[in-house]
Amino acid sequence: LVQGLADSSPEMRPFQLAYAITCAAVGRNEDAHRILRKGADEQFSRIPVDYTWMTSVIGYAVLATELQDATAAAQLSPILEPFADEVAFSGATSQGPISAYLGKLASVMGDHTAADAYLHHALGIAQSFGWRYHEATTLVALARSRRRRTGALDEEALEWLDAADFIGAACNLDGVRSQVSAVRHEETGTRS
């Protein structure tokens, strides 16, 4: 379905990005990388400045994070930085606190101090508005960032994962629960 939308509307960058994100989620990383690289080669400058601009930039940020592409992350971070205190909203969809994406990009780039600051900022926003999905995904991002920083999940990171998993179960967010499971699996894989 997503591929069909992307193929039938190649001018709609959000559809292309939705397809790339879907590819990354199902392990078709070559296709996802191709779309990310195309944007990076253009230095993300050809994104039309319209109501889908922020959605598109965040789509690229999600791809850079999922594919752990530090080069693309470094290109995207300064584009998003002026909006760090804002919430992404296109008029039709919201992607939550922009600081969450900046934190995830910073983590991929290895700037863990910035990652922690951005992610805690995003967590505060999500909690203050009662946005359970964004709260859960930010808790997962904090745990993942901690693991990147220290090479392991400490007690606090495990508590973040437990809290995210609880929200996922309570709100029927299977994707969040899968993210929690993946981070825990990465942890047990590093100890083997």
Side-chain angles (χ1 to χ4, degrees):
L1 177 65
V2 178
Q3 184 176 6
L5 282 172
D7 290 346
S8 67
S9 302
E11 74 286 352
M12 289 296 295
R13 194 172 303 250
F15 291 165
Q16 302 302 312
L17 290 165
Y19 172 63
I21 292 166
T22 302
C23 286
V26 298
R28 291 176 52 190
N29 289 347
E30 266 185 48
D31 291 331
H33 269 293
R34 179 180 43 77
I35 292 169
L36 179 61
R37 289 275 42 98
K38 183 177 180 196
D41 290 346
E42 298 169 350
Q43 298 187 7
F44 306 106
S45 63
R46 292 197 183 161
I47 302 171
V49 181
D50 60 14
Y51 69 97
T52 66
W53 181 82
M54 182 58 75
T55 300
S56 297
V57 175
I58 286 176
Y60 282 120
V62 169
L63 275 176
T65 301
E66 290 300 313
L67 299 171
Q68 298 185 47
D69 188 321
T71 302
Q75 287 178 269
L76 288 160
S77 191
I79 296 170
L80 287 173
E81 174 56 38
F83 307 99
D85 291 331
E86 298 180 25
V87 171
F89 181 67
S90 70
T93 63
S94 174
Q95 293 78 41
I98 295 169
S99 53
Y101 302 96
L102 283 161
K104 293 170 188 179
L105 293 171
S107 178
V108 168
M109 292 185 295
D111 185 351
H112 302 295
T113 301
D116 287 351
Y118 283 129
L119 291 170
H120 281 290
H121 178 267
L123 183 62
I125 291 172
Q127 289 173 332
S128 69
F129 282 100
W131 293 340
R132 303 294 280 168
Y133 171 80
H134 294 297
E135 178 182 0
T137 57
T138 303
L139 288 165
V140 172
L142 278 163
R144 204 170 247 147
S145 184
R146 179 69 54 87
R147 186 178 170 279
R148 282 187 184 117
R149 177 191 287 247
T150 65
L153 295 172
D154 60 14
E155 186 175 326
E156 185 175 35
L158 291 170
E159 288 172 4
W160 290 329
L161 288 176
D162 288 343
D165 196 45
F166 177 81
I167 293 168
C171 298
N172 294 318
L173 300 170
D174 293 337
V176 168
R177 299 195 80 199
S178 293
Q179 289 177 33
V180 170
S181 179
V183 174
R184 287 187 173 142
H185 179 73
E186 290 166 7
E187 177 68 5
T188 57
T190 59
R191 291 184 184 171
S192 304

